[in-house]
């Protein structure tokens, strides 16, 4: 590929690194967030490391079939971050794209702009396929991928390595030359304004800080009894669920939400929505409340809000909910929202010690919501 040394597009300038960039390279690469998510960076990152990168590392990327661009402000030419191509696979016309931004340059759409600019230039120069690999917990980087037109393609098992955790999985986001311009479509869009509320209850995305409450809720015997299989979670598993909640939402796997009381701001419980059949536009819902908040209609309100979002901005055509046959309280919640019983599926769910559990299924269509 014949890639230009300087590219200007989408409000950023991509250019070679220069000696005067060294202090800004240190500012970006010594930052804890960069250290966490960019592999193989020296720790601590010093001026000597920055000079090596400018004089040796970046030029070597070009001679190895990739690129290493400084991302600069077109008005001042000051370094904002870096973006580059690596790991070329010529037979596939494939390269990987990666980036980092200085702390002061984050939150302004500059990583997306740089990724778009380099992607478009690479495709114009003959690339067929670009891969962007992210840590599962790096939600901001996954948002950059989506905004730059990369689609989620799947999990790369043990594709990453770090000093602290050893081998770990990475998520693969891909853009090919024939993809349309603009952001990639998402199965699960963000909540409008970041929250759903009826002024009594509010639903917001699950966050890492919710782990302790989620463990307390989902380890309760009556909540465990209505899961399949009925096995209580470990605290570590619940921490991981909360850390990966943003990633699950962005990949389209599942939208996990915390239910809160609007008046007090106190957490009430949790709910979630996950696709069961993407092609058919069908998703399923689940929910659980803390004991002190039961019997107040909060579960009904939460499911109604979730259903309204699902049928609205999420574009889902049908919702289902599976319940244990004797969970009459959950049945009443669903029926108040408008779900109808569709049938008993015998032995559908895994139980304990090889046993099987029946599943009583309810479903809701957009016109049926109450």
């Amino acid at each position: 590929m014949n890639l230009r040394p300087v590219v200007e597009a989408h409000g950023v300038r991509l250019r070679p690194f220069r000696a005067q960039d060294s202090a800004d390279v240190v500012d970006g690469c010594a930052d804890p967030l960069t250290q966490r998510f960019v592999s193989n960076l020296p720790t601590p990152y010093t001026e000597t490391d920055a000079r090596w990168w400018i004089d040796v590392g970046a030029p070597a990327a070009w001679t190895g079939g990739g690129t290493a661009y400084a991302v600069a402000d077109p008005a001042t030419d000051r370094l904002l971050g870096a973006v580059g191509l690596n790991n070329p696979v010529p037979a596939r016309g494939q390269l990987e794209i990666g980036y980092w931004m200085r702390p002061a340059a984050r939150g302004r759409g500059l990583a997306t702009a740089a990724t778009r600019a380099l992607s478009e230039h690479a495709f114009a120069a003959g690339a067929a396929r670009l891969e962007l690999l992210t840590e599962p917990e790096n939600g901001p980087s996954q948002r950059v991928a989506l905004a730059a037109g990369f689609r989620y393609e799947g999990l790369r098992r043990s594709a990453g390595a770090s000093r602290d955790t050893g081998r770990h999985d990475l998520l693969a986001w891909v853009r090919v030359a024939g993809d349309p311009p603009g952001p990639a479509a998402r199965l699960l869009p963000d909540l409008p304004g970041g929250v759903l509320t009826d002024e009594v209850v509010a639903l917001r995305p699950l966050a890492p800080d919710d782990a302790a409450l989620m463990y307390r809720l989902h380890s309760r015997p009556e909540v465990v009894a209505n899961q399949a299989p009925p096995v209580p979670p470990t605290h570590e598993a619940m921490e991981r669920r909360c850390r990966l909640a943003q990633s699950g939402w962005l990949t389209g796997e599942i939208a996990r939400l915390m239910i809160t009381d609007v008046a007090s701001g106190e957490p009430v419980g949790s709910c979630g929505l996950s696709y069961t059949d993407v092609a058919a536009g069908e998703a399923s819902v689940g929910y659980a409340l803390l004991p002190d908040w039961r019997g107040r209609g909060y579960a009904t309100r939460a499911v109604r809000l979730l259903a309204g979002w699902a049928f609205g901005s999420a574009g889902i055509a049908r919702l289902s909910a599976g319940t244990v046959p004797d969970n009459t309280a959950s049945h009443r919640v669903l029926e108040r929202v408008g779900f109808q019983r569709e049938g008993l599926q015998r032995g559908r769910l895994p139980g304990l010690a090889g046993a099987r559990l029946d599943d009583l299924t309810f479903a809701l269509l957009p016109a049926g919501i109450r």
Side-chain angles (χ1 to χ4, degrees):
M1 295 192 302
N2 184 20
L3 293 165
R4 299 193 305 270
V6 178
V7 177
E8 290 206 30
H10 302 295
V12 293
R13 173 181 296 151
L14 311 185
R15 59 159 174 79
F17 284 89
R18 300 169 184 166
Q20 56 266 39
D21 294 327
S22 60
D24 287 334
V25 171
V26 173
D27 179 53
C29 292
D31 177 72
L33 193 62
T34 308
Q35 288 275 321
R36 180 182 176 189
F37 291 123
V38 178
S39 61
N40 301 320
L41 286 177
T43 304
Y45 197 94
T46 67
E47 187 82 16
T48 300
D49 299 313
R51 288 196 298 269
W52 177 89
W53 170 251
I54 293 168
D55 297 337
V56 180
W62 287 86
T63 58
T67 66
Y69 285 102
V71 181
D73 184 330
T76 65
D77 206 39
R78 183 170 180 181
L79 185 132
L80 302 168
V83 66
L85 301 169
N86 56 73
N87 294 332
V89 185
R92 298 180 185 172
Q94 175 181 300
L95 300 103
E96 289 180 23
I97 190 167
Y99 47 82
W100 57 260
M101 302 302 293
R102 291 177 49 222
R106 295 173 189 156
R108 297 156 52 188
L110 296 170
T112 297
T115 303
R116 288 180 63 193
L118 182 52
S119 299
E120 291 167 6
H121 182 45
F123 289 135
R129 171 185 167 91
L130 297 178
E131 290 192 346
L132 197 164
L133 303 180
T134 69
E135 303 278 347
E137 296 179 18
N138 192 351
S141 190
Q142 294 164 33
R143 288 187 177 275
V144 168
L146 286 162
F150 286 72
R151 303 180 192 178
Y152 177 62
E153 192 167 88
L155 184 73
R156 292 286 184 83
R157 297 169 55 206
S158 292
S162 72
R163 288 180 292 266
D164 299 329
T165 61
R167 305 300 307 183
H168 57 269
D169 299 338
L170 294 175
L171 305 183
W173 307 81
V174 174
R175 184 175 174 183
V176 300
D179 282 344
R186 287 174 53 183
L187 288 174
L188 298 172
D190 290 328
L191 303 181
V195 66
L196 301 174
T197 184
D198 63 0
E199 305 305 329
V200 176
V201 301
L203 310 185
R204 61 160 174 81
L206 196 66
D209 291 344
D210 296 321
L213 184 139
M214 287 288 287
Y215 176 73
R216 179 158 59 93
L217 170 62
H218 288 276
S219 60
R220 294 192 59 82
E222 72 276 15
V223 176
V224 173
N226 290 302
Q227 297 174 347
V231 177
T234 65
H235 198 282
E236 292 76 17
M238 201 54 65
E239 286 180 337
R240 178 172 173 79
R241 175 184 293 187
C242 293
R243 290 198 311 271
L244 296 179
Q246 184 176 185
S247 178
W249 199 307
L250 294 172
T251 60
E253 176 188 357
I254 186 168
R256 299 188 189 275
L257 304 103
M258 182 63 68
I259 309 170
T260 62
D261 173 57
V262 170
S264 65
E266 290 293 313
V268 170
S270 71
C271 61
L273 178 147
S274 59
Y275 269 96
T276 51
D277 188 334
V278 173
E282 180 174 330
S284 66
V285 299
Y287 46 89
L289 290 186
L290 291 163
D292 291 346
W293 298 95
R294 296 172 190 163
R296 307 189 193 188
Y298 279 35
T300 300
R301 289 177 177 275
V303 174
R304 186 179 292 120
L305 283 169
L306 189 56
W309 172 75
F311 292 139
S313 57
I316 291 167
R318 169 186 159 91
L319 288 176
S320 64
T323 70
V324 176
D326 62 1
N327 188 359
T328 56
S330 186
H331 303 164
R332 288 195 295 270
V333 166
L334 294 169
E335 288 168 346
R336 283 194 290 266
V337 176
F339 282 79
Q340 296 185 20
R341 299 187 185 213
E342 289 203 333
L344 180 69
Q345 299 180 76
R346 296 180 299 161
R348 177 176 177 268
L349 302 173
L352 297 175
R356 302 294 299 182
L357 304 175
D358 295 342
D359 185 20
L360 182 58
T361 304
F362 291 71
L364 177 68
L365 299 178
I369 191 170
R370 298 174 186 166

